[in-house]
Amino acid sequence: MLFWAGSASIVLCVALMALCALRDLGWLPAPLPRPRAPGAHAAPLAAREAVFWFLAALASQWAVVLAAYCIVHGGWAGLGEGLWQRFTTAGDSPHYLYLAQNGYQRSGEQSNLIVFYPLYPLLLRLLGALAGGRYALCGMVLSQLCFGGAAVCLRALAGRRLPAGGARCAAAALLLYPFAFFAFGVYTEGLFLLLSLGVLYLLETRRWGAAGVAAALAALCRTQGLALLFAALFAVLAAPRRERRGGWAAVLGGPAGYGAYLCLNWAVQGDFFRYLYHQSVAPWYQHAQWFGANLVQQFGMAQDYPGLARFIYIPQLVLYFVGLAALAFLLWRGTAPAAGIYALAYFGMSYLSSWLISGGRYLFGCVGLFLALGSVRRPALRAALLAGEGALFLLYAVYYMQGQAIM
């Protein structure tokens, strides 16, 4: 049942995306009736509100992390050391710090770190050199500043497509995402969110060249940056013919960044796709596998390892179906077509991974989820959804501060 439900859900959502894209481009033989859409609200984001959302992003991170630490440890004792240990030595953080200090290795035990894309460790290397070798501190500061910028970008993007209340709700949904604490530490989440949302905003304003540069940087940060290709292609086709000039730069930005990463693989280890080999063996065991098979695998892992189920496998299974429903709603409403297409492509790339253990963190970058919440018309329902998000944010932050296997 899980195999067929998961398979049918993704297939139907992709078919809906194709239908809505054709509808929004006006390419259907007969016009498809569109539900009452929110309409365009191209009011520019005021500087004061931009500052507010930047500070709100930082405040939400610190408030939840500090509250979680206090709940777990019963007070503030050892706060600095505890936060430092949890957000600079757990998960993938040591890998990014190693690359920042030592670079990629041609052979040996650390050669498999080429699976980590180069932009974030490169920035850490540059900033760390300026800060006297304080790479971990630079990583935490960079992540949080980028997350603040991402909140501003999402509010600006949503403000072009939603009424003020819905746009604020979308931005708040990003801040309260249950796994948003990953933007607090030495991870790529904040940087990737800033770049991907920057691309979507630049596509919305038809600044093709800048969108292409940002897309290339996003693809140098994470594989899912390639998904921006689909958003760019739609945005160029949806633009009036006279405004399409230079649109190729936006479309090719993501593939160019990915191509640069492949060249890095070749330069360091002599194989353009060497990272795929390293991903497929210990300790990651990752390869592409059909969605339904992945869901069945995760359900089996939840039964085999019940202690990990509530931290890894159950959230991933729930997010799969909830996420697809939210993206289908966003696509049908036509709120932000390019962002919806990108989000579904991003979602699919994330859930194609076998032995998935970071689904909750990966979907932090699926920005269509937040736009979908902002597209809900009823303020009371939006408030209830945000409250539920906030409660889960605190719960999973507590689990993370306990040292649970949330990756």
Side-chain angles (χ1 to χ4, degrees), residues 117-119 188 191-199 211-228 253-254 257-258 342:
Y117 280 54
L119 182 61
T188 61
L191 177 61
F192 185 79
L193 273 167
L194 175 62
L195 291 170
S196 56
L197 283 164
V199 171
V213 172
L217 293 174
L220 281 169
C221 188
R222 187 181 287 178
T223 306
Q224 288 94 328
L226 271 174
L228 291 162
Y258 179 66
Y342 161 70

Side-chain angles (χ1 to χ4, degrees), residues 148-175:
V152 175
C153 285
L154 180 57
R155 173 60 183 86
L157 174 66
R160 295 183 61 86
R161 290 284 178 169
L162 291 167
R168 289 192 293 267
C169 179
L174 171 68
L175 271 53

Side-chain angles (χ1 to χ4, degrees), residues 43-140:
L45 182 64
R48 179 177 296 180
E49 189 170 2
V51 171
F52 169 82
W53 284 106
F54 182 87
L55 296 177
L58 300 185
S60 65
Q61 292 271 294
W62 279 94
V64 169
V65 166
L66 292 177
Y69 183 90
C70 189
I71 291 171
V72 170
H73 297 280
W76 307 109
L79 174 65
E81 181 180 354
L83 293 185
W84 185 262
Q85 189 277 335
R86 197 69 189 111
F87 287 101
T88 64
T89 66
D92 292 334
S93 297
H95 302 321
Y96 289 117
L97 293 173
Y98 178 90
L99 290 173
Q101 297 174 67
N102 303 289
Y104 294 101
Q105 305 300 304
R106 294 183 181 275
S107 59
E109 185 179 350
Q110 303 297 333
S111 62
N112 63 355
L113 296 186
I114 202 164
V115 302
F116 295 99
Y117 280 54
L119 182 61
Y120 186 67
L122 175 60
L123 292 176
L124 293 191
R125 186 178 186 89
L126 296 175
L127 294 173
L130 295 174
R134 297 179 178 87
Y135 297 101
L137 178 62
C138 289
M140 292 186 68

